[in-house]
């Protein structure tokens, strides 16, 4: 019997894998009594236990993180029926070396270069996560057909939560 306080390593692997393959994602910050959601490009670095987001100094997300560093990243792939939400704490830094490390050619559209003085690196340290891991639509359809024809109960989407994303 598994220990309920120890996260399932398979679930943790799938959370990191799904997050790494799905980009962009939705970035959620606290905004007073509510939340603010916006699309961002996330750089998932499991070996560092971090997810990086590049941002400029414009807008309100940096102030929101300073006020309340609790954030969420929501990744979705409706075709595969896969969804992951990662909750964590965010820290903002002016770190051209890290910006260069996670830089993608497409970032030039927004920031011109990783040495841009207005560029900030948001480092999200995951704390907890929730996974909805589903089969693609063809497999889901086959499972539903089997359920109807054979009376077998099938699980179309696996849902799992982990309180530690190690």
């Amino acid at each position: 019997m598994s220990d309920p306080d120890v996260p399932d390593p398979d679930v943790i692997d799938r959370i990191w894998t799904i997050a790494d393959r799905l980009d962009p994602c939705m970035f959620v910050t606290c905004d007073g009594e509510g939340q603010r959601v916006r699309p961002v490009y996330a750089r998932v670095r499991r070996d560092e236990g971090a997810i990086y987001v590049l941002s400029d100094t414009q807008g309100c997300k940096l102030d929101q993180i300073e006020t309340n560093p609790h954030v969420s990243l929501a990744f979705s792939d409706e075709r595969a029926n896969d969804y992951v939400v990662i909750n964590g704490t965010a820290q903002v830094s002016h770190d051209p070396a890290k910006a260069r490390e996670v830089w993608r050619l497409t970032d030039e559209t927004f920031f011109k270069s990783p040495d841009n003085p207005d560029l900030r690196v948001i480092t999200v340290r995951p704390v907890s996560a929730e996974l909805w891991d589903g089969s693609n639509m063809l497999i889901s359809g086959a499972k539903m057909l089997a359920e109807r024809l054979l009376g077998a109960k099938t699980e179309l989407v696996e849902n799992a939560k982990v309180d530690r994303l190690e």
Side-chain angles (χ1 to χ4, degrees), residues 5 27 36 66 87 96 139 166:
D5 293 330
F27 185 58
R36 178 82 186 270
E66 185 177 323
N87 305 300
I139 293 172
E166 303 169 340

Side-chain angles (χ1 to χ4, degrees), residues 150-166:
L150 304 173
K153 186 69 178 158
T154 60
E155 187 175 282
L156 297 180
V157 176
E158 177 188 356
N159 176 242
K161 287 178 83 170
V162 294
D163 293 327
R164 295 191 328 256
L165 197 57
E166 303 169 340

Side-chain angles (χ1 to χ4, degrees), residues 3-166:
D3 182 347
D5 293 330
V6 177
D8 181 344
D10 178 58
V11 170
I12 291 172
D13 286 344
R14 285 186 286 149
I15 288 169
W16 282 105
T17 299
I18 289 171
D20 191 35
R21 85 174 150 81
L22 300 180
D23 209 23
C25 67
M26 299 305 287
F27 185 58
V28 184
T29 55
C30 295
D31 186 14
E33 296 295 315
Q35 297 176 323
R36 178 82 186 270
V37 182
R38 79 262 299 152
V40 298
Y41 292 96
R43 281 61 180 212
V44 175
R45 301 293 190 270
R46 182 178 184 175
D47 59 325
E48 297 176 36
I51 300 170
Y52 299 99
V53 174
L54 298 180
S55 177
D56 63 18
T57 55
Q58 303 299 310
C60 56
K61 72 176 147 303
L62 303 183
D63 292 335
Q64 291 165 346
I65 291 168
E66 185 177 323
T67 302
N68 186 338
H70 299 284
V71 300
S72 297
L73 295 160
F75 302 85
S76 71
D77 180 353
E78 67 279 355
R79 289 186 201 173
N81 206 19
D82 292 336
Y83 305 89
V84 166
V85 175
I86 295 175
N87 305 300
T89 55
Q91 181 178 4
V92 177
S93 63
H94 177 67
D95 186 347
K98 181 53 82 174
R100 277 190 293 281
E101 183 184 316
V102 301
W103 189 259
R104 296 178 184 159
L105 183 61
T106 55
D107 292 327
E108 290 180 13
T109 304
F110 304 105
F111 308 112
K112 303 296 179 218
S113 99
D115 297 311
N116 180 331
D118 293 327
L119 181 63
R120 297 297 179 265
V121 177
I122 301 171
T123 304
V124 177
R125 299 283 176 198
V127 175
S128 63
E130 189 161 5
L131 163 76
W132 294 267
D133 188 359
S135 303
N136 67 38
M137 298 310 276
L138 181 61
I139 293 172
S140 293
K143 286 180 178 180
M144 289 185 328
L145 182 61
E147 185 173 289
R148 288 195 179 136
L149 293 175
L150 304 173
K153 186 69 178 158
T154 60
E155 187 175 282
L156 297 180
V157 176
E158 177 188 356
N159 176 242
K161 287 178 83 170
V162 294
D163 293 327
R164 295 191 328 256
L165 197 57
E166 303 169 340

